[in-house]
Amino acid sequence: FQNYDVACTDLMSNCRSALRHLEQMMIGSPPNSSGADSSEQVCNNFARKSIRGFFHDYMSKGIEGSVLDENNVSMNFGLCRWTQYMNVLSDHTQCDPGSIIAMAGELGYLACGVDLYNTDIDVKPLVTLNRPFPCGSNLDDSPLFDQETMQRKEQFSDAQLASNATAMEEFWYEANKHTHGRPDGEIEYSGEAAAAAHAVGRVTCPPDGITNSGTHPNYKQGFFHKPRGNLENKFGEIWWAEPNTSNVNRAYQQALDRFSATQCFEIDEEKHPPVEGKRPSQEVNEGETDLNAEGGLCGMPTQFLSTVRVGGVHRVPRWVAITEYSAPDWPSYSNNQSLCRDQVPMYIPLELLTISDIDIPQSPALDKFLNIAWDGYDSIDSAWDSCVVGCDNPINQNRLCGGDGLEDFDWTTNTMPPT
């Protein structure tokens, strides 16, 4: 137990309040569910966006909330509504956006069947609270982004990462070089964590980039994996897990098995990325994407493992534990953040034991988001989805950035009411 000063104690309380709202947004099942499975955990699109947002904020030099002001970056399309929510929740609770994004990413994995806390005996990820918030983007000097266009470099496009092993290893060498240099790049852990995100995720907009052949594949949109059968089987074999394993976890495990079996193209026992970064058509069901996002992990030319065959589970919590508070450098705290300067640890499973004791944060803006939490949870077209690049997300109105507050922010019109 750690004794903190008043500022840090208040900050911890603020972030617990934010966690309470996140729990309402993604833990449970759709509010109109009925029947025997009405209490079954369901992975919704807000949880999926929270996992994606965790990754995308990390790509801009650490999870510090700058992704809220990076909606003009084309790789962030589809995150508009999610970043608006993060902005509103941080303003309301006064928990910094980076801390909320870290909590949301871990909780999103859990909500979608990826148990970060019981798959590795040695590692149980924490969330580090109290991060400096730059109140703006943080892409300067990032090796992943073109410094003239401030877009992701073409060599790291979706098509390149799926079809080009050199592109894949170089991407992770650059993203993780502040902690893991060549020929490691933390690619083994990173690849498994990305595969876990994709196993429960979707392709809702056309992937970008061209392959080495000079083509822009017409990748299908859809879920990366839709459950086969009634989940009594893994992919191609009888289910081995404990009988009380949840369906959401079984679906995740089944997806990983399928990813592993269809990830690489083999010639004379040598593994290569799949042709054009696509999964074999016979392994793609209706409603699924054929994008093989982990294809570039096959036959990497310099990484010490050469091929990272996805499908394991214990490396995912290890990557999350390393990455949740990792950056080459941190921005300065905004003048309106808490005076606390300690990094305060939070263990989400412990917090969830008493989460119902915390009042659910309420405001006109937050209530609008809560009303759409489960919208289109089983589709690729929901209130959380858009293929438009750019987003009206007024972070300057966030009180952490000196604004007047966002409690009346109306995301349905993307405008603030007159003052």
Side-chain angles (χ1 to χ4, degrees), residues 85-106:
Y85 167 80
M86 292 293 160
N87 192 21
V88 169
L89 184 62
S90 66
D91 170 74
H92 183 91
T93 62
Q94 294 293 280
C95 180
D96 65 273
S99 295
I100 295 177
I101 290 169
M103 289 190 292
E106 291 194 18

Side-chain angles (χ1 to χ4, degrees), residues 57 60-67 70 96-99 101 131-134 136-138 330-331:
D57 203 17
S60 61
K61 301 198 302 184
I63 301 172
E64 23 63 315
S66 66
V67 72
E70 292 163 357
D96 65 273
S99 295
I101 290 169
R131 301 150 189 254
F133 179 39
S137 65
N138 190 21
W330 291 96

Side-chain angles (χ1 to χ4, degrees), residues 58-130:
Y58 174 69
M59 291 178 198
S60 61
K61 301 198 302 184
I63 301 172
E64 23 63 315
S66 66
V67 72
L68 271 60
D69 196 41
E70 292 163 357
N71 282 293
N72 287 325
V73 178
S74 60
M75 76 169 193
N76 290 334
F77 61 68
L79 288 177
C80 176
R81 194 72 66 240
W82 179 84
T83 59
Q84 289 173 332
Y85 167 80
M86 292 293 160
N87 192 21
V88 169
L89 184 62
S90 66
D91 170 74
H92 183 91
T93 62
Q94 294 293 280
C95 180
D96 65 273
S99 295
I100 295 177
I101 290 169
M103 289 190 292
E106 291 194 18
L107 198 63
Y109 268 127
L110 186 64
C112 291
V114 187
D115 189 347
L116 298 176
Y117 311 106
N118 293 296
T119 55
D120 191 312
I121 295 174
D122 298 320
V123 177
K124 314 290 182 183
L126 301 174
V127 173
T128 304
L129 304 178
N130 193 28

Side-chain angles (χ1 to χ4, degrees), residues 216-236:
H216 175 69
N218 185 25
Y219 296 113
K220 296 179 181 179
Q221 296 173 41
F223 285 82
F224 277 97
H225 178 78
K226 299 197 79 171
R228 270 68 170 155
N230 61 2
L231 292 173
E232 76 279 10
N233 293 341
K234 294 179 76 179
F235 184 70

Side-chain angles (χ1 to χ4, degrees), residues 182-219:
R182 299 170 186 267
D184 182 338
E186 202 190 18
I187 296 176
E188 183 180 13
Y189 290 5
S190 301
E192 291 277 23
H198 293 142
V200 300
R202 309 163 300 153
V203 173
T204 60
C205 299
D208 68 344
I210 60 175
T211 64
N212 283 352
S213 67
T215 64
H216 175 69
N218 185 25
Y219 296 113

Side-chain angles (χ1 to χ4, degrees), residues 263-408:
Q263 178 187 353
C264 301
F265 180 64
E266 296 192 20
I267 303 176
D268 296 330
E269 298 185 354
E270 289 189 359
K271 295 178 176 61
H272 301 272
V275 177
E276 300 295 88
K278 289 187 174 183
R279 212 172 296 280
S281 59
Q282 67 270 22
E283 302 295 349
V284 178
N285 284 359
E286 184 70 25
E288 290 180 337
T289 181
D290 55 359
L291 175 66
N292 188 341
E294 282 65 53
L297 294 169
C298 303
M300 291 174 286
T302 69
Q303 207 274 340
F304 76 97
L305 292 172
S306 182
T307 293
V308 173
R309 176 75 82 171
V310 302
V313 295
H314 76 279
R315 299 181 188 91
V316 182
R318 294 187 179 204
W319 183 83
V320 171
I322 293 168
T323 306
E324 67 90 16
Y325 193 70
S326 175
D329 54 72
W330 291 96
S332 300
Y333 285 87
S334 76
N335 293 332
N336 297 281
Q337 285 188 249
S338 166
L339 295 178
C340 176
R341 290 298 177 265
D342 291 329
Q343 272 62 62
V344 182
M346 170 188 278
Y347 185 54
I348 285 181
L350 183 62
E351 298 295 330
L352 292 179
L353 293 176
T354 57
I355 196 74
S356 61
D357 296 338
I358 300 173
D359 291 337
I360 301 170
Q362 291 183 312
S363 74
L366 283 176
D367 292 347
K368 285 186 174 69
F369 287 109
L370 191 56
N371 287 337
I372 65 165
W374 296 91
D375 184 75
Y377 66 90
D378 56 354
S379 77
I380 63 169
D381 184 16
S382 73
W384 297 100
D385 300 310
S386 168
C387 293
V388 176
V389 177
C391 178
D392 182 10
N393 192 21
I395 62 171
N396 61 317
Q397 292 295 319
N398 190 316
R399 289 178 295 147
L400 292 175
C401 300
D404 294 329
L406 292 159
E407 67 175 14
D408 292 313

